[in-house]
């Protein structure tokens, strides 16, 4: 299992962020071919991070193929438009 993880710092307006993220960005991202699952975690407390999204693919190769699709490009462009200064991306394989 291969994951692309988006780690978001806390936005100034969390309500506005949540409204856009969950109602516009996540539905757009779910259209990516080959994406098996999206897991979103909101962090508690006053730490620097607000939210983590794990996008799950069958393999690194499946991720590479998916990342070249129009749907993936649209999702990437969208996230940069509303959270480019807040997001860090991590990539890796799940270890059992």
């Amino acid at each position: 299992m291969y994951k692309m993880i988006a780690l978001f710092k806390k936005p100034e307006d969390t309500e506005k962020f949540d409204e856009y993220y969950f109602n516009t960005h996540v539905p757009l991202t779910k259209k990516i071919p080959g994406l098996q699952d999206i897991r979103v975690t909101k962090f508690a407390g006053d730490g620097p991070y607000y939210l983590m999204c794990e996008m799950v693919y069958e393999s690194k190769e499946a991720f590479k193929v998916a990342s070249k699709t129009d749907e993936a490009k649209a999702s990437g462009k969208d996230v940069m438009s509303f959270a480019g200064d807040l997001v860090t991306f991590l990539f890796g394989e799940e270890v059992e």
Side-chain angles (χ1 to χ4, degrees):
M1 186 176 311
Y2 191 79
K3 294 182 183 181
M4 176 180 177
I5 298 169
L7 188 59
F8 295 89
K9 294 177 187 169
K10 189 170 185 178
E12 287 184 32
D13 185 339
T14 56
E15 287 183 31
K16 183 178 176 184
F17 178 92
D18 286 356
E19 172 68 26
Y20 188 87
Y21 185 79
F22 290 105
N23 295 317
T24 301
H25 184 69
V26 169
L28 182 67
T29 301
K30 285 183 175 181
K31 294 179 181 179
I32 297 172
L35 180 65
Q36 293 185 327
D37 196 13
I38 292 180
R39 301 173 187 157
V40 178
T41 303
K42 271 192 177 180
F43 298 111
D46 292 327
Y49 295 105
Y50 178 66
L51 185 139
M52 175 178 68
C53 177
E54 297 175 277
M55 292 153 278
V56 181
Y57 295 87
E58 182 180 351
S59 64
K60 187 175 184 179
E61 186 58 37
F63 166 75
K64 286 181 180 181
V65 170
S67 68
K68 294 177 184 174
T69 65
D70 290 341
E71 293 87 348
K73 291 174 186 175
S75 176
K77 184 176 181 180
D78 185 62
V79 76
M80 296 312 288
S81 74
F82 79 93
D85 58 339
L86 300 175
V87 68
T88 299
F89 296 102
L90 304 166
F91 304 88
E93 294 189 60
E94 190 168 290
V95 179
E96 293 187 32

